[in-house]
Amino acid sequence: MKSENDVGRVSVKNGRYKIKGKFHIIEPNTPIFDDNGKLCGITNPRDMTYIHSYGGEAIFFESLSKGKLMASRCDNPKCESKDSIFMPFRIYCPDCLRKNTVIDITDIAKKTAMIHSFIITERSGAFNTLKKPIKFINVEFKDVCTIFMGYLSVGEPKIGMRVLPIFQTKKPTYTIMDISWVPVGTPESELPEGFTL
Amino acid sequence: MIKFSDKQLKIPKMARPVYLATSGMSRFGRAFPTLRTEELCIEAFTAAADFIKMTPAELKQYIHTAYYGHFADHFGDQLLGEAVIHDRLGLDPLGTIGVKTGGATGGSTIWEAIKAVASGYSDCALAMGWERMDEVPTDEGNHLIACAADKDWETPLGHIYTGYYAVMAQRYWQIFGKAEDSFRKTMAEIAVKNRGYGRMNPYAHGGMKITVEDVINSPVVAYPLRVLDCCLMSVGAACGVVCDEKTAYELTDNPLRIWIGAGSHTLRVADRRDMKIPLLPNEEPGLYDDLGKRFPGGDRYPGFSSFLAARIASYYAYNMTGVVDPCEDLDVIELHDAFTISDIQSYEDVGLRPYGEGRDYIESGDGYHTNPKTGKPGRLPSNLSGGLIGCMHAVGATGLMQIAEIGYHIWNRWAEIHGDEKKWKKFGREKPKDWTDLQVKGAKRGLAISHAGVGSHVTATILMHPNHLLKED
């Protein structure tokens, strides 16, 4: 891990990215030899940090840190998908391509969220920070036309199980990891560190 | 979109017939520490030239444009890898382009080549695909594959693509498989079948003689999927050369007709809205009216249990070629068996069985070279190459390998390609003592499905012997 001072940080000033800290670490290449000591290749170390814009979805990720789940809705009276609510959040309606209205569905989620499908896996890729086994769940909500993917932090998932959203409000990462789910009735004391109902 | 206009459902038309003149493959393996990618591509191209008794230099004289499928630049840390291969094949200054559609990259690559020939732009085009998945540690490889999911909404969740995919398997398993032991056994039968066929294929690196119990007792990856239910991670290359009629018959006296349909659906499964099931030519209106009653929870389409992209690709391809019932009209198929359960899901999407009844394709014995129940030839054998589970999944090459394998059956040269002792030896593999000729006798028509991830892109390629077309041009 980089030291706190070395962590790459970015801000925006006058419409431009300003970067501070280390964005890549240089390591030497090392040779790869075969069983007979003959050269057959080389390692190419790469340690980089990307800079990424959330654009019109920034409000979704920022709202998670405030304990809110924001979706979007097509309000175009001329669109055949008018009133469709999208979660995952879509900036534009996929049918009429008019900008959707941002709406707060935290209460809908609290009242109606239910597991549509799930999977439990011990496997993960590099850079994973979720605790294993990972309990992936897909969550359906009343009146929402799509199905949200997340992870269950407490209990064992089942199709049809009612769940509640919890939010990383104390130490937000400003990523999708800031929302998780627990079975209805889970006491606050059982929530993972930093999460609130 | 969840409703489609007539214009969108128009059956694709090719301005002139297109032929597959030849195909070739390299050996496939989990890793090739002593081979560069270009060596594998040249091996595949040379095999394609050998197949029609030409030298590579002679075959190159016919090629006018080249299409390269290579999904994951970041695996090889090489952008414009296509330009490297094009140069190493000595095809500069011909026009070339790279194609990337995840697991469907091989199919999409030949889609581009076919369109180039069909339009008259080129009389002969090369489609070449490869993948290099051995040059990062496995966990980093898992992360890189997970980058094919939505980077903000999915990838941070475990950095493991299997997790995003397996939720679909879970839903299918519980709704349509009813979580039954018998369904679990049928899934395992697919792994046994495909790994068994892989044993007869010298190009394959996943061949195994295993039992249903071996599959069911193998380590869990994401329940109900176990290690032996899952496809391989591979390195290798495959290619095909497509031509107009005149050029095809200059290259060989036995070219095959080729058509292709393509479909797509959302990158995130989460975004899939409920819609009416588009019907294939062998399905009557009303067929699915009671699907939700027969399979409670199964009334949302495509939901988490079906692949709309595969259905649409098949819709286009079947209507282009006159295929009505694939089990009647086709002789051999290669499906994208990324997982045993997704193989079953595909049986329904491509119309081998109606939605909800995919398991019957295996349980009836139809999908085998030799039906285990009757001892007679299977009605429509699938994945005799071993598929992604038993042969390979070198992503950019997979769709082209499938097309080559279907071609070898229709060319009636499967045994020659797979049985040659020298080839087994050259690839460092031992030919099994019980090696079996899996040639589908009298094969005239076949289908290959090339499929990306959770179903974002799918192509359906149909090959036919020119004397056995189903429909006049």
PDB file of all heavy atoms in Angstrom, chain A residues 1-34:
ATOM      1  N   MET A   1       0.843  -1.209   0.000  1.00  0.00           N
ATOM      2  CA  MET A   1       0.000   0.000   0.000  1.00  0.00           C
ATOM      3  C   MET A   1       0.874   1.252   0.000  1.00  0.00           C
ATOM      4  O   MET A   1       1.910   1.287   0.664  1.00  0.00           O
ATOM      5  CB  MET A   1      -0.885   0.013   1.258  1.00  0.00           C
ATOM      6  CG  MET A   1      -1.908  -1.098   1.322  1.00  0.00           C
ATOM      7  SD  MET A   1      -3.355  -0.767   0.312  1.00  0.00           S
ATOM      8  CE  MET A   1      -4.338   0.223   1.430  1.00  0.00           C
ATOM      9  N   LYS A   2       0.400   2.278  -0.707  1.00  0.00           N
ATOM     10  CA  LYS A   2       1.118   3.547  -0.690  1.00  0.00           C
ATOM     11  C   LYS A   2       0.875   4.239   0.659  1.00  0.00           C
ATOM     12  O   LYS A   2      -0.173   4.018   1.280  1.00  0.00           O
ATOM     13  CB  LYS A   2       0.562   4.459  -1.797  1.00  0.00           C
ATOM     14  CG  LYS A   2       0.851   3.998  -3.195  1.00  0.00           C
ATOM     15  CD  LYS A   2       0.123   4.920  -4.170  1.00  0.00           C
ATOM     16  CE  LYS A   2       0.196   4.384  -5.577  1.00  0.00           C
ATOM     17  NZ  LYS A   2      -0.701   5.087  -6.488  1.00  0.00           N
ATOM     18  N   SER A   3       1.808   5.105   1.059  1.00  0.00           N
ATOM     19  CA  SER A   3       1.582   5.878   2.287  1.00  0.00           C
ATOM     20  C   SER A   3       0.478   6.909   1.994  1.00  0.00           C
ATOM     21  O   SER A   3       0.197   7.219   0.831  1.00  0.00           O
ATOM     22  CB  SER A   3       2.866   6.596   2.702  1.00  0.00           C
ATOM     23  OG  SER A   3       3.105   7.647   1.795  1.00  0.00           O
ATOM     24  N   GLU A   4      -0.120   7.424   3.064  1.00  0.00           N
ATOM     25  CA  GLU A   4      -1.227   8.370   2.920  1.00  0.00           C
ATOM     26  C   GLU A   4      -0.829   9.558   2.027  1.00  0.00           C
ATOM     27  O   GLU A   4      -1.602  10.028   1.199  1.00  0.00           O
ATOM     28  CB  GLU A   4      -1.654   8.853   4.326  1.00  0.00           C
ATOM     29  CG  GLU A   4      -2.956   9.619   4.389  1.00  0.00           C
ATOM     30  CD  GLU A   4      -4.169   8.869   3.846  1.00  0.00           C
ATOM     31  OE1 GLU A   4      -4.168   7.610   3.826  1.00  0.00           O
ATOM     32  OE2 GLU A   4      -5.101   9.546   3.406  1.00  0.00           O
ATOM     33  N   ASN A   5       0.420  10.013   2.189  1.00  0.00           N
ATOM     34  CA  ASN A   5       0.878  11.156   1.391  1.00  0.00           C
ATOM     35  C   ASN A   5       1.051  10.821  -0.079  1.00  0.00           C
ATOM     36  O   ASN A   5       0.986  11.693  -0.944  1.00  0.00           O
ATOM     37  CB  ASN A   5       2.224  11.675   1.924  1.00  0.00           C
ATOM     38  CG  ASN A   5       2.036  12.413   3.225  1.00  0.00           C
ATOM     39  OD1 ASN A   5       0.929  12.862   3.514  1.00  0.00           O
ATOM     40  ND2 ASN A   5       3.093  12.497   4.012  1.00  0.00           N
ATOM     41  N   ASP A   6       1.336   9.533  -0.350  1.00  0.00           N
ATOM     42  CA  ASP A   6       1.607   9.133  -1.733  1.00  0.00           C
ATOM     43  C   ASP A   6       0.343   8.800  -2.538  1.00  0.00           C
ATOM     44  O   ASP A   6       0.392   8.675  -3.760  1.00  0.00           O
ATOM     45  CB  ASP A   6       2.541   7.911  -1.762  1.00  0.00           C
ATOM     46  CG  ASP A   6       3.973   8.302  -1.445  1.00  0.00           C
ATOM     47  OD1 ASP A   6       4.268   9.512  -1.514  1.00  0.00           O
ATOM     48  OD2 ASP A   6       4.772   7.402  -1.120  1.00  0.00           O
ATOM     49  N   VAL A   7      -0.777   8.570  -1.823  1.00  0.00           N
ATOM     50  CA  VAL A   7      -2.001   8.169  -2.521  1.00  0.00           C
ATOM     51  C   VAL A   7      -2.363   9.228  -3.573  1.00  0.00           C
ATOM     52  O   VAL A   7      -2.369  10.426  -3.274  1.00  0.00           O
ATOM     53  CB  VAL A   7      -3.166   7.982  -1.518  1.00  0.00           C
ATOM     54  CG1 VAL A   7      -4.491   7.806  -2.261  1.00  0.00           C
ATOM     55  CG2 VAL A   7      -2.900   6.789  -0.622  1.00  0.00           C
ATOM     56  N   GLY A   8      -2.644   8.773  -4.791  1.00  0.00           N
ATOM     57  CA  GLY A   8      -2.998   9.701  -5.859  1.00  0.00           C
ATOM     58  C   GLY A   8      -4.347  10.354  -5.582  1.00  0.00           C
ATOM     59  O   GLY A   8      -5.319   9.655  -5.311  1.00  0.00           O
ATOM     60  N   ARG A   9      -4.410  11.669  -5.629  1.00  0.00           N
ATOM     61  CA  ARG A   9      -5.678  12.376  -5.404  1.00  0.00           C
ATOM     62  C   ARG A   9      -5.906  13.364  -6.546  1.00  0.00           C
ATOM     63  O   ARG A   9      -4.949  13.885  -7.122  1.00  0.00           O
ATOM     64  CB  ARG A   9      -5.656  13.139  -4.082  1.00  0.00           C
ATOM     65  CG  ARG A   9      -5.547  12.214  -2.882  1.00  0.00           C
ATOM     66  CD  ARG A   9      -5.600  12.979  -1.562  1.00  0.00           C
ATOM     67  NE  ARG A   9      -5.179  12.109  -0.481  1.00  0.00           N
ATOM     68  CZ  ARG A   9      -5.936  11.150   0.048  1.00  0.00           C
ATOM     69  NH1 ARG A   9      -7.164  10.956  -0.388  1.00  0.00           N
ATOM     70  NH2 ARG A   9      -5.480  10.385   1.012  1.00  0.00           N
ATOM     71  N   VAL A  10      -7.175  13.593  -6.827  1.00  0.00           N
ATOM     72  CA  VAL A  10      -7.522  14.444  -7.970  1.00  0.00           C
ATOM     73  C   VAL A  10      -8.596  15.430  -7.538  1.00  0.00           C
ATOM     74  O   VAL A  10      -9.507  15.073  -6.785  1.00  0.00           O
ATOM     75  CB  VAL A  10      -8.076  13.582  -9.141  1.00  0.00           C
ATOM     76  CG1 VAL A  10      -8.416  14.469 -10.335  1.00  0.00           C
ATOM     77  CG2 VAL A  10      -7.087  12.508  -9.546  1.00  0.00           C
ATOM     78  N   SER A  11      -8.485  16.649  -7.987  1.00  0.00           N
ATOM     79  CA  SER A  11      -9.570  17.613  -7.800  1.00  0.00           C
ATOM     80  C   SER A  11      -9.811  18.285  -9.153  1.00  0.00           C
ATOM     81  O   SER A  11      -9.023  18.091 -10.093  1.00  0.00           O
ATOM     82  CB  SER A  11      -9.200  18.650  -6.734  1.00  0.00           C
ATOM     83  OG  SER A  11      -8.013  19.308  -7.113  1.00  0.00           O
ATOM     84  N   VAL A  12     -10.904  19.015  -9.233  1.00  0.00           N
ATOM     85  CA  VAL A  12     -11.192  19.727 -10.485  1.00  0.00           C
ATOM     86  C   VAL A  12     -11.125  21.224 -10.218  1.00  0.00           C
ATOM     87  O   VAL A  12     -11.752  21.718  -9.281  1.00  0.00           O
ATOM     88  CB  VAL A  12     -12.584  19.335 -11.038  1.00  0.00           C
ATOM     89  CG1 VAL A  12     -12.927  20.176 -12.262  1.00  0.00           C
ATOM     90  CG2 VAL A  12     -12.620  17.854 -11.388  1.00  0.00           C
ATOM     91  N   LYS A  13     -10.308  21.916 -10.983  1.00  0.00           N
ATOM     92  CA  LYS A  13     -10.193  23.378 -10.857  1.00  0.00           C
ATOM     93  C   LYS A  13     -10.371  23.968 -12.256  1.00  0.00           C
ATOM     94  O   LYS A  13      -9.669  23.567 -13.194  1.00  0.00           O
ATOM     95  CB  LYS A  13      -8.803  23.774 -10.334  1.00  0.00           C
ATOM     96  CG  LYS A  13      -8.526  23.330  -8.905  1.00  0.00           C
ATOM     97  CD  LYS A  13      -8.633  24.525  -7.946  1.00  0.00           C
ATOM     98  CE  LYS A  13      -8.738  24.199  -6.481  1.00  0.00           C
ATOM     99  NZ  LYS A  13      -8.252  23.015  -5.914  1.00  0.00           N
ATOM    100  N   ASN A  14     -11.310  24.881 -12.369  1.00  0.00           N
ATOM    101  CA  ASN A  14     -11.564  25.536 -13.662  1.00  0.00           C
ATOM    102  C   ASN A  14     -11.786  24.530 -14.788  1.00  0.00           C
ATOM    103  O   ASN A  14     -11.255  24.683 -15.888  1.00  0.00           O
ATOM    104  CB  ASN A  14     -10.418  26.479 -14.034  1.00  0.00           C
ATOM    105  CG  ASN A  14     -10.242  27.584 -13.022  1.00  0.00           C
ATOM    106  OD1 ASN A  14     -11.237  28.073 -12.465  1.00  0.00           O
ATOM    107  ND2 ASN A  14      -9.010  27.951 -12.747  1.00  0.00           N
ATOM    108  N   GLY A  15     -12.509  23.478 -14.473  1.00  0.00           N
ATOM    109  CA  GLY A  15     -12.851  22.500 -15.513  1.00  0.00           C
ATOM    110  C   GLY A  15     -11.718  21.569 -15.904  1.00  0.00           C
ATOM    111  O   GLY A  15     -11.827  20.856 -16.900  1.00  0.00           O
ATOM    112  N   ARG A  16     -10.640  21.567 -15.118  1.00  0.00           N
ATOM    113  CA  ARG A  16      -9.523  20.661 -15.441  1.00  0.00           C
ATOM    114  C   ARG A  16      -9.167  19.818 -14.228  1.00  0.00           C
ATOM    115  O   ARG A  16      -9.317  20.264 -13.092  1.00  0.00           O
ATOM    116  CB  ARG A  16      -8.287  21.461 -15.829  1.00  0.00           C
ATOM    117  CG  ARG A  16      -8.445  22.132 -17.170  1.00  0.00           C
ATOM    118  CD  ARG A  16      -7.151  22.746 -17.581  1.00  0.00           C
ATOM    119  NE  ARG A  16      -7.230  23.171 -18.963  1.00  0.00           N
ATOM    120  CZ  ARG A  16      -6.191  23.532 -19.675  1.00  0.00           C
ATOM    121  NH1 ARG A  16      -4.987  23.493 -19.149  1.00  0.00           N
ATOM    122  NH2 ARG A  16      -6.335  23.918 -20.923  1.00  0.00           N
ATOM    123  N   TYR A  17      -8.664  18.612 -14.503  1.00  0.00           N
ATOM    124  CA  TYR A  17      -8.201  17.759 -13.409  1.00  0.00           C
ATOM    125  C   TYR A  17      -6.868  18.288 -12.877  1.00  0.00           C
ATOM    126  O   TYR A  17      -5.967  18.637 -13.657  1.00  0.00           O
ATOM    127  CB  TYR A  17      -7.992  16.327 -13.900  1.00  0.00           C
ATOM    128  CG  TYR A  17      -9.271  15.569 -14.197  1.00  0.00           C
ATOM    129  CD1 TYR A  17      -9.514  15.047 -15.462  1.00  0.00           C
ATOM    130  CD2 TYR A  17     -10.226  15.367 -13.209  1.00  0.00           C
ATOM    131  CE1 TYR A  17     -10.673  14.332 -15.737  1.00  0.00           C
ATOM    132  CE2 TYR A  17     -11.391  14.655 -13.478  1.00  0.00           C
ATOM    133  CZ  TYR A  17     -11.617  14.153 -14.738  1.00  0.00           C
ATOM    134  OH  TYR A  17     -12.760  13.446 -14.997  1.00  0.00           O
ATOM    135  N   LYS A  18      -6.761  18.323 -11.558  1.00  0.00           N
ATOM    136  CA  LYS A  18      -5.470  18.647 -10.915  1.00  0.00           C
ATOM    137  C   LYS A  18      -5.075  17.412 -10.112  1.00  0.00           C
ATOM    138  O   LYS A  18      -5.867  16.937  -9.281  1.00  0.00           O
ATOM    139  CB  LYS A  18      -5.622  19.832  -9.949  1.00  0.00           C
ATOM    140  CG  LYS A  18      -5.975  21.127 -10.643  1.00  0.00           C
ATOM    141  CD  LYS A  18      -4.749  21.766 -11.278  1.00  0.00           C
ATOM    142  CE  LYS A  18      -5.132  22.999 -12.065  1.00  0.00           C
ATOM    143  NZ  LYS A  18      -4.101  23.403 -13.017  1.00  0.00           N
ATOM    144  N   ILE A  19      -3.899  16.875 -10.369  1.00  0.00           N
ATOM    145  CA  ILE A  19      -3.524  15.636  -9.672  1.00  0.00           C
ATOM    146  C   ILE A  19      -2.416  15.893  -8.661  1.00  0.00           C
ATOM    147  O   ILE A  19      -1.578  16.786  -8.827  1.00  0.00           O
ATOM    148  CB  ILE A  19      -3.129  14.519 -10.662  1.00  0.00           C
ATOM    149  CG1 ILE A  19      -1.884  14.890 -11.453  1.00  0.00           C
ATOM    150  CG2 ILE A  19      -4.256  14.193 -11.604  1.00  0.00           C
ATOM    151  CD1 ILE A  19      -1.334  13.710 -12.251  1.00  0.00           C
ATOM    152  N   LYS A  20      -2.441  15.069  -7.601  1.00  0.00           N
ATOM    153  CA  LYS A  20      -1.467  15.202  -6.512  1.00  0.00           C
ATOM    154  C   LYS A  20      -1.166  13.793  -6.009  1.00  0.00           C
ATOM    155  O   LYS A  20      -2.067  12.949  -5.938  1.00  0.00           O
ATOM    156  CB  LYS A  20      -2.114  16.029  -5.391  1.00  0.00           C
ATOM    157  CG  LYS A  20      -1.142  16.684  -4.447  1.00  0.00           C
ATOM    158  CD  LYS A  20      -1.905  17.511  -3.416  1.00  0.00           C
ATOM    159  CE  LYS A  20      -1.043  17.649  -2.178  1.00  0.00           C
ATOM    160  NZ  LYS A  20      -1.774  18.117  -1.032  1.00  0.00           N
ATOM    161  N   GLY A  21       0.064  13.518  -5.659  1.00  0.00           N
ATOM    162  CA  GLY A  21       0.421  12.180  -5.150  1.00  0.00           C
ATOM    163  C   GLY A  21       1.012  11.331  -6.259  1.00  0.00           C
ATOM    164  O   GLY A  21       1.299  11.828  -7.364  1.00  0.00           O
ATOM    165  N   LYS A  22       1.168  10.022  -5.967  1.00  0.00           N
ATOM    166  CA  LYS A  22       1.801   9.130  -6.946  1.00  0.00           C
ATOM    167  C   LYS A  22       0.732   8.388  -7.756  1.00  0.00           C
ATOM    168  O   LYS A  22      -0.125   7.721  -7.169  1.00  0.00           O
ATOM    169  CB  LYS A  22       2.691   8.112  -6.234  1.00  0.00           C
ATOM    170  CG  LYS A  22       3.982   8.719  -5.725  1.00  0.00           C
ATOM    171  CD  LYS A  22       4.931   7.638  -5.264  1.00  0.00           C
ATOM    172  CE  LYS A  22       6.230   8.265  -4.800  1.00  0.00           C
ATOM    173  NZ  LYS A  22       7.083   7.333  -4.083  1.00  0.00           N
ATOM    174  N   PHE A  23       0.821   8.484  -9.045  1.00  0.00           N
ATOM    175  CA  PHE A  23      -0.158   7.806  -9.903  1.00  0.00           C
ATOM    176  C   PHE A  23       0.394   6.545 -10.542  1.00  0.00           C
ATOM    177  O   PHE A  23      -0.325   5.770 -11.126  1.00  0.00           O
ATOM    178  CB  PHE A  23      -0.714   8.782 -10.943  1.00  0.00           C
ATOM    179  CG  PHE A  23      -1.851   9.562 -10.382  1.00  0.00           C
ATOM    180  CD1 PHE A  23      -1.625  10.581  -9.479  1.00  0.00           C
ATOM    181  CD2 PHE A  23      -3.147   9.215 -10.676  1.00  0.00           C
ATOM    182  CE1 PHE A  23      -2.672  11.270  -8.909  1.00  0.00           C
ATOM    183  CE2 PHE A  23      -4.208   9.896 -10.100  1.00  0.00           C
ATOM    184  CZ  PHE A  23      -3.971  10.934  -9.219  1.00  0.00           C
ATOM    185  N   HIS A  24       1.674   6.347 -10.460  1.00  0.00           N
ATOM    186  CA  HIS A  24       2.231   5.071 -10.885  1.00  0.00           C
ATOM    187  C   HIS A  24       3.531   4.830 -10.132  1.00  0.00           C
ATOM    188  O   HIS A  24       4.205   5.770  -9.728  1.00  0.00           O
ATOM    189  CB  HIS A  24       2.475   5.036 -12.397  1.00  0.00           C
ATOM    190  CG  HIS A  24       3.360   6.116 -12.893  1.00  0.00           C
ATOM    191  ND1 HIS A  24       2.862   7.342 -13.305  1.00  0.00           N
ATOM    192  CD2 HIS A  24       4.700   6.188 -13.018  1.00  0.00           C
ATOM    193  CE1 HIS A  24       3.867   8.110 -13.672  1.00  0.00           C
ATOM    194  NE2 HIS A  24       5.006   7.448 -13.513  1.00  0.00           N
ATOM    195  N   ILE A  25       3.811   3.539  -9.944  1.00  0.00           N
ATOM    196  CA  ILE A  25       5.040   3.178  -9.251  1.00  0.00           C
ATOM    197  C   ILE A  25       5.888   2.382 -10.226  1.00  0.00           C
ATOM    198  O   ILE A  25       5.405   1.427 -10.855  1.00  0.00           O
ATOM    199  CB  ILE A  25       4.732   2.343  -7.992  1.00  0.00           C
ATOM    200  CG1 ILE A  25       3.967   3.224  -6.993  1.00  0.00           C
ATOM    201  CG2 ILE A  25       6.013   1.806  -7.367  1.00  0.00           C
ATOM    202  CD1 ILE A  25       3.457   2.484  -5.783  1.00  0.00           C
ATOM    203  N   ILE A  26       7.126   2.754 -10.371  1.00  0.00           N
ATOM    204  CA  ILE A  26       8.002   2.072 -11.321  1.00  0.00           C
ATOM    205  C   ILE A  26       8.702   0.903 -10.625  1.00  0.00           C
ATOM    206  O   ILE A  26       9.295   1.075  -9.559  1.00  0.00           O
ATOM    207  CB  ILE A  26       9.042   3.051 -11.898  1.00  0.00           C
ATOM    208  CG1 ILE A  26       8.324   4.192 -12.608  1.00  0.00           C
ATOM    209  CG2 ILE A  26      10.008   2.322 -12.838  1.00  0.00           C
ATOM    210  CD1 ILE A  26       9.203   5.384 -12.916  1.00  0.00           C
ATOM    211  N   GLU A  27       8.583  -0.263 -11.221  1.00  0.00           N
ATOM    212  CA  GLU A  27       9.300  -1.446 -10.724  1.00  0.00           C
ATOM    213  C   GLU A  27      10.107  -1.999 -11.880  1.00  0.00           C
ATOM    214  O   GLU A  27       9.686  -1.892 -13.034  1.00  0.00           O
ATOM    215  CB  GLU A  27       8.296  -2.537 -10.318  1.00  0.00           C
ATOM    216  CG  GLU A  27       7.738  -2.397  -8.939  1.00  0.00           C
ATOM    217  CD  GLU A  27       6.774  -3.542  -8.645  1.00  0.00           C
ATOM    218  OE1 GLU A  27       7.099  -4.700  -8.962  1.00  0.00           O
ATOM    219  OE2 GLU A  27       5.684  -3.253  -8.133  1.00  0.00           O
ATOM    220  N   PRO A  28      11.253  -2.619 -11.599  1.00  0.00           N
ATOM    221  CA  PRO A  28      12.063  -3.142 -12.706  1.00  0.00           C
ATOM    222  C   PRO A  28      11.419  -4.364 -13.365  1.00  0.00           C
ATOM    223  O   PRO A  28      10.708  -5.123 -12.711  1.00  0.00           O
ATOM    224  CB  PRO A  28      13.386  -3.529 -12.045  1.00  0.00           C
ATOM    225  CG  PRO A  28      13.064  -3.691 -10.601  1.00  0.00           C
ATOM    226  CD  PRO A  28      11.894  -2.808 -10.296  1.00  0.00           C
ATOM    227  N   ASN A  29      11.682  -4.548 -14.650  1.00  0.00           N
ATOM    228  CA  ASN A  29      11.307  -5.787 -15.339  1.00  0.00           C
ATOM    229  C   ASN A  29      12.163  -6.923 -14.771  1.00  0.00           C
ATOM    230  O   ASN A  29      13.289  -6.687 -14.334  1.00  0.00           O
ATOM    231  CB  ASN A  29      11.621  -5.703 -16.846  1.00  0.00           C
ATOM    232  CG  ASN A  29      10.977  -4.506 -17.486  1.00  0.00           C
ATOM    233  OD1 ASN A  29      11.557  -3.430 -17.518  1.00  0.00           O
ATOM    234  ND2 ASN A  29       9.792  -4.680 -17.980  1.00  0.00           N
ATOM    235  N   THR A  30      11.619  -8.138 -14.797  1.00  0.00           N
ATOM    236  CA  THR A  30      12.449  -9.287 -14.390  1.00  0.00           C
ATOM    237  C   THR A  30      12.334 -10.363 -15.458  1.00  0.00           C
ATOM    238  O   THR A  30      11.267 -10.550 -16.048  1.00  0.00           O
ATOM    239  CB  THR A  30      12.000  -9.867 -13.029  1.00  0.00           C
ATOM    240  OG1 THR A  30      10.620 -10.222 -13.120  1.00  0.00           O
ATOM    241  CG2 THR A  30      12.191  -8.857 -11.912  1.00  0.00           C
ATOM    242  N   PRO A  31      13.446 -11.089 -15.717  1.00  0.00           N
ATOM    243  CA  PRO A  31      13.415 -12.095 -16.786  1.00  0.00           C
ATOM    244  C   PRO A  31      12.670 -13.366 -16.370  1.00  0.00           C
ATOM    245  O   PRO A  31      12.597 -13.686 -15.191  1.00  0.00           O
ATOM    246  CB  PRO A  31      14.897 -12.397 -17.010  1.00  0.00           C
ATOM    247  CG  PRO A  31      15.552 -12.085 -15.702  1.00  0.00           C
ATOM    248  CD  PRO A  31      14.756 -10.971 -15.078  1.00  0.00           C
ATOM    249  N   ILE A  32      12.123 -14.075 -17.376  1.00  0.00           N
ATOM    250  CA  ILE A  32      11.475 -15.374 -17.143  1.00  0.00           C
ATOM    251  C   ILE A  32      12.318 -16.421 -17.870  1.00  0.00           C
ATOM    252  O   ILE A  32      12.544 -16.315 -19.080  1.00  0.00           O
ATOM    253  CB  ILE A  32      10.034 -15.404 -17.699  1.00  0.00           C
ATOM    254  CG1 ILE A  32       9.193 -14.279 -17.082  1.00  0.00           C
ATOM    255  CG2 ILE A  32       9.388 -16.764 -17.467  1.00  0.00           C
ATOM    256  CD1 ILE A  32       7.853 -14.051 -17.783  1.00  0.00           C
ATOM    257  N   PHE A  33      12.802 -17.414 -17.107  1.00  0.00           N
ATOM    258  CA  PHE A  33      13.615 -18.485 -17.694  1.00  0.00           C
ATOM    259  C   PHE A  33      12.828 -19.790 -17.682  1.00  0.00           C
ATOM    260  O   PHE A  33      11.998 -20.019 -16.795  1.00  0.00           O
ATOM    261  CB  PHE A  33      14.913 -18.667 -16.898  1.00  0.00           C
ATOM    262  CG  PHE A  33      15.808 -17.456 -16.944  1.00  0.00           C
ATOM    263  CD1 PHE A  33      15.946 -16.635 -15.827  1.00  0.00           C
ATOM    264  CD2 PHE A  33      16.518 -17.131 -18.101  1.00  0.00           C
ATOM    265  CE1 PHE A  33      16.764 -15.510 -15.865  1.00  0.00           C
ATOM    266  CE2 PHE A  33      17.337 -16.008 -18.144  1.00  0.00           C
ATOM    267  CZ  PHE A  33      17.458 -15.189 -17.025  1.00  0.00           C
ATOM    268  N   ASP A  34      13.092 -20.677 -18.619  1.00  0.00           N
ATOM    269  CA  ASP A  34      12.430 -21.986 -18.615  1.00  0.00           C
ATOM    270  C   ASP A  34      13.210 -22.972 -17.749  1.00  0.00           C
ATOM    271  O   ASP A  34      14.200 -22.609 -17.096  1.00  0.00           O
ATOM    272  CB  ASP A  34      12.207 -22.502 -20.043  1.00  0.00           C
ATOM    273  CG  ASP A  34      13.488 -22.925 -20.733  1.00  0.00           C
ATOM    274  OD1 ASP A  34      14.553 -22.987 -20.067  1.00  0.00           O
ATOM    275  OD2 ASP A  34      13.446 -23.203 -21.952  1.00  0.00           O
TER     276      ASP A  34
END
